[in-house]
Amino acid sequence: MGGEGKVYTLAEFSQHNNAKDCRLLIGGKVYNVTKFLEDHPGGDEVLLSASGKDATDDFEDVGHSSSARAMLDELYVGDIDASTIPTKTKYTPPNHPHYEQDKTSEFVVKLLQFLVPLLILVSASIPNHQLKHRDHKRSWQDSSQ
């Protein structure tokens, strides 16, 4: 590896996040990539955006070559103190009364099977009623003239 490894706290590591001092955290190891910013094939923006945080997923998702992985050895400057990294909390949904989903959806389907045809029937009969009323009114006006 490139140098003696220092153990960084997350707060210490997070301060190295600019073009003059850029470090990445990949797989629990800290790498100083400042000298490599100009030479990175993806551009310096890629490295800068991943600095100051855990870049392991970003690094792995790209599918770096074996030579890129070997280059990490030269850039290694230390490790991260795992006790300074906040633990991820598992989401626990609030405790709601349990509803039987099957019965609820069955009720909604039956309700819609009743209401939709009823609404279609009502909406279809309104224009017919208005037409009949209008025709009746015209015939009355025609007869009165």
Side-chain angles (χ1 to χ4, degrees):
M1 297 240 166
E4 259 188 57
K6 175 184 175 184
V7 177
Y8 291 86
T9 65
L10 183 62
E12 259 181 324
F13 163 74
S14 298
Q15 294 173 1
H16 304 278
N17 61 358
N18 58 64
K20 293 181 181 180
D21 186 12
C22 183
R23 301 195 185 181
L24 298 181
L25 176 62
I26 301 172
K29 298 187 181 306
V30 178
Y31 300 96
N32 186 345
V33 297
T34 309
K35 294 178 185 174
F36 186 62
L37 288 174
E38 291 180 18
D39 298 328
H40 186 260
D44 62 347
E45 301 88 19
V46 174
L47 297 176
L48 289 169
S49 68
S51 66
K53 63 182 181 94
D54 188 348
T56 304
D57 290 340
D58 295 336
F59 183 80
E60 296 298 336
D61 288 347
V62 172
H64 285 90
S65 66
S66 56
S67 61
R69 291 177 185 278
M71 190 180 294
L72 285 179
D73 289 344
E74 298 169 25
L75 303 173
Y76 172 80
V77 292
D79 294 299
I80 196 79
D81 181 356
S83 67
T84 63
I85 298 175
T87 57
K88 292 182 181 177
T89 56
K90 184 180 176 189
Y91 173 74
T92 306
N95 191 9
H96 291 293
H98 180 69
Y99 295 103
E100 290 188 35
Q101 192 69 21
D102 293 338
K103 288 187 177 181
T104 304
S105 61
E106 185 179 316
F107 171 75
V108 170
V109 168
K110 286 185 178 184
L111 184 65
L112 288 174
Q113 285 176 338
F114 173 75
L115 288 178
V116 170
L118 183 65
L119 289 173
I120 291 171
L121 181 65
V122 168
S123 64
S125 67
I126 290 173
N128 284 340
H129 177 72
Q130 289 175 344
L131 286 174
K132 286 181 183 177
H133 182 68
R134 188 181 70 193
D135 289 344
H136 183 273
K137 194 174 182 181
R138 276 190 188 157
S139 66
W140 181 77
Q141 287 174 345
D142 290 344
S143 65
S144 65
Q145 290 177 351

